[in-house]
Amino acid sequence: MTFSMRHLLTGTTAAAVCLTATLAGASSHREAPAITETPKIDGTDFYMFRSYEPTRGNYVTFIANYQPLQAPYGGPNYFTMDPNAIYEISIDNNGDAVEDMTFQFSFNNDLSNKGFGKELMIGDKKVAIPLRNFGPITANDSKTNLNETESYTVNVIRGDRRSGTSAQLVIGNGNGNFVKPVDNIGQKSLPNYAAYANKFAYDNVTIPGCDGKARVFVGQRAEAFAVNLGQVFDLVNLVPLQGADNNNFPQYNVGNYPYKGVGMQQQRANDDLIGKANVTSIALEVPISCVTAGSEPVIGAWTTASLPQGSLEDPSPTYEQDAKFGGAWVQQSRLSAPLVNELVIGLRDKNLFNAAEPTQDSALATYVTNPTLPALLDSLFRKALGAKGNIAPSKFPRNDLVAAFLTGFKGFNQPANVVPSEMLRLNTAVPATPLANQNVFGVVAEDLAGFPNGRRPADDTVDIALRVVMGALCWPVPLGAELGAPGAVEDTGSDLINLGYCASSTAPVGNLPFTDAAPIKPSELPAAFPYLNTPLPGSRS
């Protein structure tokens, strides 16, 4: 199917902004009580976008981040993946809310010296050292001084992820054993981490049953999610309105804005993750033809992590085994659209959401049709904004959010015969926007390749979320030309249209530029796979 702007129905594209938009705060860090007990399988962010690296336009990239809030100095064991778990990226390419293809990652840790680890002669005895490395590690010599190697395999499963047909991905030479680079311990241990880690970005990977080659990388990356984390979760401890213009972040400037200066000026100092924390990324780039079905260009996807149902702690643990596991796989973490479990799902149902399949999402629909976050923001900021009455949107049920969360939008990112389910959706027929031309506000800024048509690392989902939850889509939006509205002329102001979901009178502050004051700009990120920056070192000298 060839993408055509004229195929978009009025009200569909801009409303896609709501696809995760009743939210604010961290994307999915420690979002449910149970997942805090198993941080190695805690999914933090999920990105899905048409690749914007030059010459890679016929590919789609998935990035599933795990293990939140990694302090760069978090040694001596750092952040290996859980060898008892499986990590999965599932794709629905026909709209039935059931996975059609799943990429499954399984990890293994091996000590050097045939499982004994590096030993030193201390007197007349050989004694194992306590560290993961015992000398510098470089791209040219990545093994000699490393005390532990972390490897993984990748399987593609077609059909049900537990009972479907499975085949192993292999590197060009036929080897299916991938290696994960050690985390960025510091500059003495890893004098050129970028060159070292790049050795483990595999670019000649065969996916059985697919034409073309895939790319695979699993390793530590710098956190890219811009968020004023501490203040947001402290009852949004700031007036969340855009402050004075800042030429360092021009896409956030709002021009003739009567409340300018009410909130905090956009600045990097407000960010609690970028420049301060790392994350572990599973990155996979595959040909679009591999993940789409027939003439349908829209795919939905989500990432999960699962553990065996039963575990028995070993009273005499070894390096290889500290417990015995058995039974069926049980899903512990689930993530697609950002922020859902943290600030949409009620506290009592957070563990349930993490365990649920997309086909079960209708049971939690009340959290979408009657969201609580706008009411909470009203209670916190009605006086600060000088409002005389309720500032939360007042039209219920929130049918715009039902479409955004559960179905996608007809003519844009809704597959035919869709079954309502919560997942990140991408119209793969929309051309990628080059990094230099990306807008952090995605679709509402007329950048149709951005959030919520998938999600790119530089999309500011927090600010989009804050604005939409307070009713931005009840006001006219600049998408008339993109939607084929009669008489609309691009970039002249006459392309403003009301999407018809609600009247501006039902969203009294929907036209205000809400923000968490933690900006990002595309130029801060790389334009090439795996699209996230080199992780921060544990030691800088």
Side-chain angles (χ1 to χ4, degrees), residues 87-108:
Y87 301 79
E88 296 172 312
I89 296 171
S90 294
I91 301 163
D92 170 19
N93 58 25
N94 60 14
D96 65 357
V98 178
E99 66 273 12
D100 298 294
M101 175 182 288
T102 298
F103 293 95
Q104 185 183 95
F105 293 73
S106 301
F107 293 84
N108 189 48

Side-chain angles (χ1 to χ4, degrees), residues 378-392:
D378 169 63
S379 69
L380 292 169
F381 299 112
R382 184 187 299 185
K383 289 184 179 179
L385 295 178
K388 297 180 180 179
N390 192 345
I391 64 173

Side-chain angles (χ1 to χ4, degrees), residues 114-426:
K114 299 180 180 180
F116 286 94
K118 173 65 176 176
E119 297 174 315
L120 297 177
M121 289 299 300
I122 306 298
D124 61 350
K125 297 184 181 297
K126 287 185 177 182
V127 183
I129 69 168
L131 303 177
R132 294 196 70 202
N133 68 302
F134 44 91
I137 302 167
T138 67
N140 293 329
D141 187 358
S142 60
K143 295 181 179 179
T144 301
N145 294 326
L146 190 61
N147 202 20
E148 178 190 53
T149 299
E150 190 173 9
S151 61
Y152 60 99
T153 59
V154 189
N155 283 3
V156 58
I157 303 167
R158 290 180 170 84
D160 187 277
R161 61 181 174 151
R162 298 291 175 257
S163 60
T165 302
S166 179
Q168 188 173 12
L169 276 63
V170 295
I171 308 166
N173 60 7
N175 175 22
N177 191 49
F178 298 81
V179 176
K180 173 180 172 288
V182 69
D183 293 346
N184 197 354
I185 297 168
Q187 293 184 351
K188 184 176 181 180
S189 292
L190 293 137
N192 187 341
Y193 189 87
Y196 160 74
N198 187 60
K199 181 178 179 178
F200 303 102
Y202 300 93
D203 60 2
N204 188 24
V205 178
T206 297
I207 303 175
C210 289
D211 294 330
K213 297 294 184 179
R215 297 200 288 194
V216 176
F217 173 82
V218 177
Q220 193 178 51
R221 296 283 91 185
E223 181 65 82
F225 181 60
V227 61
N228 194 342
L229 193 63
Q231 289 183 290
V232 163
F233 280 112
D234 184 20
L235 297 179
V236 193
N237 189 12
L238 74 160
V239 177
L241 287 175
Q242 177 65 50
D245 288 353
N246 185 333
N247 290 332
N248 289 325
F249 299 94
Q251 292 181 344
Y252 292 83
N253 297 341
V254 293
N256 186 21
Y257 165 50
Y259 294 96
K260 187 170 291 184
V262 172
M264 299 174 63
Q265 183 175 347
Q266 292 279 358
Q267 54 184 303
R268 174 60 65 232
N270 295 328
D271 199 303
D272 288 325
L273 293 181
I274 293 180
K276 300 174 184 178
N278 293 324
V279 71
T280 300
S281 298
I282 295 174
L284 174 69
E285 184 190 63
V286 301
I288 291 174
S289 61
C290 179
V291 294
T292 53
S295 61
E296 175 59 73
V298 177
I299 60 173
W302 62 100
T303 183
T304 60
S306 302
L307 287 170
Q309 188 173 32
S311 66
L312 183 64
E313 294 296 320
D314 192 333
S316 300
T318 65
Y319 172 83
E320 293 82 8
Q321 180 174 294
D322 59 4
K324 294 183 178 180
F325 293 85
W329 292 108
V330 178
Q331 184 175 299
Q332 307 289 319
S333 175
R334 171 191 174 189
L335 177 62
S336 51
L339 312 165
V340 171
N341 206 355
E342 273 159 323
L343 289 168
V344 173
I345 304 301
L347 185 60
R348 70 188 183 195
D349 288 325
K350 288 180 180 294
N351 292 338
L352 177 62
F353 179 84
N354 265 354
E357 301 281 350
T359 52
Q360 300 168 310
D361 289 341
S362 60
L364 300 173
T366 298
Y367 290 119
V368 178
T369 60
N370 299 73
T372 60
L373 182 59
L376 291 172
L377 291 176
D378 169 63
S379 69
L380 292 169
F381 299 112
R382 184 187 299 185
K383 289 184 179 179
L385 295 178
K388 297 180 180 179
N390 192 345
I391 64 173
S394 57
K395 188 174 187 292
F396 300 102
R398 293 288 297 269
N399 290 327
D400 55 337
L401 302 184
V402 171
F405 274 104
L406 301 178
T407 65
F409 293 86
K410 190 173 182 180
F412 183 54
N413 68 342
Q414 181 186 114
N417 304 314
V418 66
V419 173
S421 55
E422 196 280 309
M423 62 181 69
L424 196 59
R425 300 184 189 275
L426 173 69

Side-chain angles (χ1 to χ4, degrees), residues 1-4 7 295 429:
M1 171 178 173
T2 301
F3 177 74
S4 170
H7 288 166
S295 61

